[in-house]
């Protein structure tokens, strides 16, 4: 089992930045792809970004490409999401997750473990 705890969410004005962290415990995540998803009120959970175990490859949703950056520190068992140039439409609960090892990196049902989420609100 892996426990994931997200932090760093909050209220920010449009154009601002936030850095989310996802700390893992229970077992190491160094060999797993990690992803960030978000879910806005009344909407389905959507893929934001993911990173391979060795940081060699990263993937982004078109809506965040060029504004968000995913990174990881395997020594700290932690994944980060740097969010710049935030827009009101980025408002959502943000979740990190551990990929199960098989399947589409953008599909939530391919992820085995999830954090409880952290809320991000971007005001106009």
């Amino acid at each position: 089992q892996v426990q994931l705890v997200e932090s760093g969410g909050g209220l920010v004005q449009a154009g601002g930045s936030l850095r989310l962290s996802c700390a893992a415990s229970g077992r190491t995540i160094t060999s797993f792809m990690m992803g960030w998803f978000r879910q806005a009120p009344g909407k389905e959970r959507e893929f934001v970004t993911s990173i391979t175990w060795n940081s060699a490859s990263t993937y982004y949703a078109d809506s965040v490409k060029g504004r968000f950056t995913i990174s990881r520190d395997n020594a700290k068992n932690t994944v980060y999401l740097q969010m710049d140039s935030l827009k009101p439409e980025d408002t959502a609960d943000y979740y990190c997750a551990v990929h199960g090892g098989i399947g589409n990196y953008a599909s939530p049902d391919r992820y085995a473990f999830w954090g409880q989420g952290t809320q991000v609100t971007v005001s106009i």
Side-chain angles (χ1 to χ4, degrees), residues 15-91:
S17 298
L18 283 174
R19 189 193 195 205
L20 306 184
S21 298
C22 172
S25 62
R27 66 174 291 181
T28 179
I29 60 169
T30 56
S31 58
F32 295 97
M33 172 176 276
M34 297 294 295
W36 284 96
F37 290 76
R38 66 187 181 186
Q39 187 167 17
K43 296 188 176 181
E44 292 188 353
R45 190 166 297 190
E46 66 173 0
F47 171 76
V48 176
T49 178
S50 63
I51 186 168
T52 54
W53 69 275
N54 59 356
S55 302
S57 297
T58 56
Y59 308 93
Y60 294 92
D62 287 344
S63 58
V64 306
K65 204 171 292 183
R67 300 187 299 120
F68 289 13
T69 303
I70 189 172
S71 62
R72 66 192 297 164
D73 184 339
N74 284 342
K76 295 182 178 179
N77 230 24
T78 301
V79 180
Y80 304 97
L81 179 61
Q82 177 67 40
M83 305 187 294
D84 299 317
S85 302
L86 282 160
K87 304 176 181 180
E89 50 264 44
D90 294 319
T91 295

